[in-house]
Amino acid sequence: MSATLGHILRRAARSLWENLSLNAVAAGVIAAALLLGGAFWGAMSTLNDAVEVWERDVHLSAYFASGVDEARQRAVLAEVQAMPEVEAVTWVTATDARAYLEERVPDIQPILVELGEDAVPASLEITLRARYIGDETLSDFVTRLQRAEFEELDYGKEWVERLTAFLGLLKALGAALGTLLVMAAVFLVGNTMHLVTYARRAELETMKLVGATLQFIAAPFLIEGAVQGLIGALLAIGALSGLKAVLLGRIQELVPLGQAPLADGSLGLSTVLGLLTVGVLLGVVGCGSAVLRFWRQAP
Amino acid sequence: MIRLYHVSKSYGSAQVLHDVTFRLSKGEFAYLTGASGAGKSTLLKLLYGAEAPTSGKLLVGGVDASKLGPARLPLLRRNLGVIFQDFKLIPNRTVFDNVGLALEVIGAERREISRRVNAVLNVVGLGGKGERRPLDLSGGEQQRVAIARAIVNDPAVLLADEPTGNLDGAMAVEVMEILLSINLRGTTVLIATHDIGLMERFPHRRLRLNAGRMSE
């Protein structure tokens, strides 16, 4: 048994070395397949993360109608604070809001003077508890929040909903494209491995004719496939990290994707492990199917 | 050691072997003769499991080769030595590796492989040429590498398909002498050939195939 294992390992090492160019092509094909799949999956999960951040960020601004005095505003504040959905409420008086606006947009001061004291309304800035951010609970909360004292309720939910719907469509398209990518990868890897076995058919045929078992012939190929897959996955991980650091950094500069650190260049342990696993599996399955095909055809 | 009962083989509508029945005992030496296309190579292929008979039964070393599944095929071949007409040597392996392959597949230890390969290379007159590649050798030497690989396992049965077909007279005699010496050690030998001169020089039992039908 140990002698057989020794032969298998020696043959795998020798074959990897002697068929360096073919093995490099196979590893390259696996890397390309993983890079395509990984980039696609990464883009989808980044968008998903961004939407989650945006959803968590949803808060409401409830603007008081003019004429509601501060005592009444304070009373409404207390009522809102008592609502179970509310995480925090900040009362922004008309004076504070005006000062904030003047500070942020200095050029607006003449317009505010023109409009008079009631130009900027007081408001309550409401942050919801995370578990109440779902579509139905939020609508329900907004209905219960409606009061005569409020002139307008403003929250950025609508565009998040539209974005979520768009992302749902994108996910469906992604699933179809992802399936196609996986099929293309398996096809490419399988055919590359078929070429590898074809180049060595004389050796494999002779081995079968002198009494080698399928396991004996296939084992070094499976090891080769695993090594090709591992190298392909490492190449893909390197390329994806670079892509993520460069491209997402640029994208985040152009479009703010929320507070999540999206462009730190690292893929995360689960992604790295996933790519390594898929790479090794692609190599092993590709090599295994090619050897099996050879075994069935050889005399 | 080899028994065939009413074996026939067809490829589509072309029948290559018709109701072939014969028996070779342990330690026997026999020629399988016939003109080109008579079915000699097909019969050998049936014996080493590269083809399955269309009908009939064949036993090789007690194994029913007519009902052999892919999983059990290696077991048959490990008890057989086969010398192929085109040698089937691996060109990018050394002579030593080519011969040692038959031992590698049965899981022999490296030291054992080394001992037996060197011994058998001496038997076929290739001592000292273990590190050469097949393409660096003459046709006769390549034939002897193929013989060495076929006998390194001490098989119970040795099958040879035209083992002297590509060799000149002197070389053919040398190869025949090697095969006879193997037979003297108790190995059953069946040689497919149409070299009448050789059969007359080394007379043994002849199994004649004529258009797929056997006679003696």
Side-chain angles (χ1 to χ4, degrees), chain A residues 55-78:
Chain A
E55 278 185 338
R56 275 200 302 276
D57 226 22
V58 169
H59 72 276
L60 288 92
S61 297
Y63 297 100
F64 285 107
S66 59
V68 179
D69 62 26
E70 287 203 357
R72 186 62 204 138
Q73 287 177 19
R74 217 180 286 274
V76 173
L77 169 66

Side-chain angles (χ1 to χ4, degrees), chain A residues 1-4 7 10-11 14-15 18 200 202-203 205-214 216 295 299, chain B residues 48 50 70 73-74 77-78 84 88-90 92-93 97 101-102 104-110 113 149 153:
Chain A
M1 182 66 188
S2 63
T4 305
H7 290 313
R10 268 194 302 278
R11 275 179 39 229
R14 189 167 61 186
S15 176
E18 287 179 353
R200 292 160 60 186
E203 177 186 350
E205 188 183 307
T206 303
M207 288 170 73
K208 188 178 179 187
L209 285 170
V210 299
T213 58
L214 172 61
F216 185 87
W295 177 264
Chain B
Y48 63 80
L73 186 60
R77 291 181 174 173
R78 288 172 184 195
F84 301 96
K88 295 213 182 292
L89 300 177
I90 304 169
N92 59 342
R93 294 274 177 270
D97 287 342
L101 189 64
E104 259 190 44
V105 303
I106 59 170
E109 297 283 348
R110 290 185 90 182
I113 292 175
R149 187 185 60 202
N153 268 346

Side-chain angles (χ1 to χ4, degrees), chain B residues 33-119:
Chain B
T33 75
S36 294
K40 302 189 295 293
S41 294
T42 301
L43 183 53
L44 289 188
K45 283 180 182 171
L46 295 182
L47 291 173
Y48 63 80
E51 300 277 357
T54 308
S55 63
K57 184 173 181 176
L58 65 156
L59 298 169
V60 182
V63 177
D64 186 350
S66 52
K67 290 181 182 169
L68 219 49
R72 290 183 60 222
L73 186 60
L75 299 177
L76 169 76
R77 291 181 174 173
R78 288 172 184 195
N79 287 317
L80 283 178
V82 185
I83 302 165
F84 301 96
Q85 193 171 7
D86 57 356
F87 310 150
K88 295 213 182 292
L89 300 177
I90 304 169
N92 59 342
R93 294 274 177 270
T94 63
V95 165
F96 183 96
D97 287 342
N98 267 283
V99 177
L101 189 64
L103 293 167
E104 259 190 44
V105 303
I106 59 170
E109 297 283 348
R110 290 185 90 182
R111 199 176 303 171
E112 177 69 0
I113 292 175
S114 180
R115 187 185 67 75
R116 287 172 71 171
V117 170
N118 286 322

